[in-house]
Amino acid sequence: MGATKAEEFTLRDNRIARYAKALGHPARVAILRLLAERQACMCGDIVEELPIAQSTVSQHLGELKAAGLIQGEIDGPRVCYCINEKEWTSALTVLNEFFKLPKEIAAKCC
Amino acid sequence: MGATKAEEFTLRDNRIARYAKALGHPARVAILRLLAERQACMCGDIVEELPIAQSTVSQHLGELKAAGLIQGEIDGPRVCYCINEKEWTSALTVLNEFFKLPKEIAAKCC
DNA sequence: CAGCAAAATCGTAATAATACGATATTATCT
DNA sequence: AGATAATATCGTATTATTACGATTTTGCTG
């Protein structure tokens, strides 16, 4: 993302940014949607559903895993991915809390 | 963000990604938090609060404005920024709806 | 063990994001 | 008009992201 000064911000804000960044690309949103919408968790079927190459899908999966939002489990010759419910809930909570901030404020100036 | 294929994904997923991307940097989260937490909307005071240069703050403000999350109004020699309540609510709704997807699913496989 | 299929990793090119200093704008005040 | 103060914009260096093809790894199957 270019030079960054992430360390100089609060842990809380970095946490929010980390989750948000993981959702910051339509391919990753689409992947998460697929994982959420299908009963079973997906593996390489994602590649067939999305307009990007296998290696790129794998890269996006890696980022989602790094953010903690999904987890993968080896299932025979393939890998079965699914949403990490715990982190997912955590992300929802953190983002919701953040988004509700202005609701508590009456005054508006512009 | 490097080469991108955003056009090939759904509008819905692009919309979510757009909001999420705006929140994808701790500086922008911090800026939004400042705008939300203070009664009045901020201007250059943000520069004093954050560990980044004035031009960088201005750049982040521009991105938040492009995403629709904030709006600025000229107020004398300064610019008064505040959260765009409408878009903010819209972002909350869209993200919430997305995050609640897996809750409707009983089966888990890993 | 050889062969196969799925996924990860590597190498790399193209592009976007981050950050800063310097400069230009803009609006106010004297 | 000129000076001042606040923002925006420009130019640019650095670093991150995205994407793909090629290759490697991994685990199963004959």
Side-chain angles (χ1 to χ4, degrees):
Chain A
M1 161 199 304
T4 201
K5 276 192 155 184
E7 327 76 44
E8 302 196 31
F9 295 93
T10 67
L11 278 181
R12 183 172 57 169
D13 287 349
N14 266 295
R15 188 143 175 262
I16 293 172
R18 202 181 89 243
Y19 286 136
K21 195 168 156 189
L23 292 177
H25 192 285
R28 289 193 290 272
V29 174
I31 288 172
L32 288 169
R33 188 183 294 285
L34 280 172
L35 293 181
E37 282 179 344
R38 307 216 168 173
Q39 281 88 351
C41 51
M42 308 291 296
C43 25
D45 305 315
I46 296 169
V47 177
E48 291 177 17
E49 299 275 354
L50 301 188
I52 49 180
Q54 179 266 321
S55 57
T56 307
V57 169
S58 191
Q59 204 170 291
H60 282 304
L61 285 168
E63 282 178 54
L64 288 170
K65 198 153 70 175
L69 292 174
I70 66 173
Q71 58 194 154
E73 209 163 84
I74 292 168
D75 170 34
R78 20 199 130 191
V79 176
C80 177
Y81 280 106
C82 64
I83 285 173
N84 182 330
E85 300 276 352
K86 198 173 168 184
E87 282 278 332
W88 189 261
T89 301
S90 164
L92 172 63
T93 304
V94 167
L95 284 172
N96 248 352
E97 186 186 11
F98 179 70
F99 266 102
K100 277 175 182 156
L101 271 179
K103 297 290 168 196
E104 298 154 13
I105 298 172
K108 283 176 64 181
C109 65
C110 57
Chain B
M1 159 200 304
T4 200
K5 277 193 155 183
E7 328 76 42
E8 303 197 31
F9 294 94
T10 68
L11 279 180
R12 181 172 59 169
D13 288 349
N14 267 295
R15 188 142 176 263
I16 293 173
R18 202 181 90 243
Y19 287 136
K21 195 169 157 189
L23 292 177
H25 193 285
R28 290 193 289 273
V29 174
I31 289 172
L32 288 169
R33 188 184 295 283
L34 280 172
L35 293 182
E37 281 178 346
R38 307 215 168 174
Q39 281 87 350
C41 52
M42 308 290 297
C43 29
D45 306 315
I46 297 168
V47 177
E48 290 177 17
E49 299 275 354
L50 302 188
I52 49 182
Q54 179 266 320
S55 57
T56 307
V57 168
S58 191
Q59 203 170 291
H60 282 305
L61 285 169
E63 282 179 54
L64 288 171
K65 198 154 68 174
L69 292 174
I70 65 173
Q71 58 194 157
E73 208 164 86
I74 293 168
D75 170 34
R78 21 201 129 192
V79 176
C80 177
Y81 281 105
C82 65
I83 286 174
N84 182 330
E85 300 276 352
K86 199 173 166 185
E87 282 278 331
W88 188 262
T89 303
S90 165
L92 171 63
T93 304
V94 167
L95 284 172
N96 246 353
E97 186 186 10
F98 180 69
F99 266 103
K100 277 174 183 156
L101 272 178
K103 296 290 166 194
E104 299 154 13
I105 297 172
K108 282 178 60 179
C109 66
C110 55

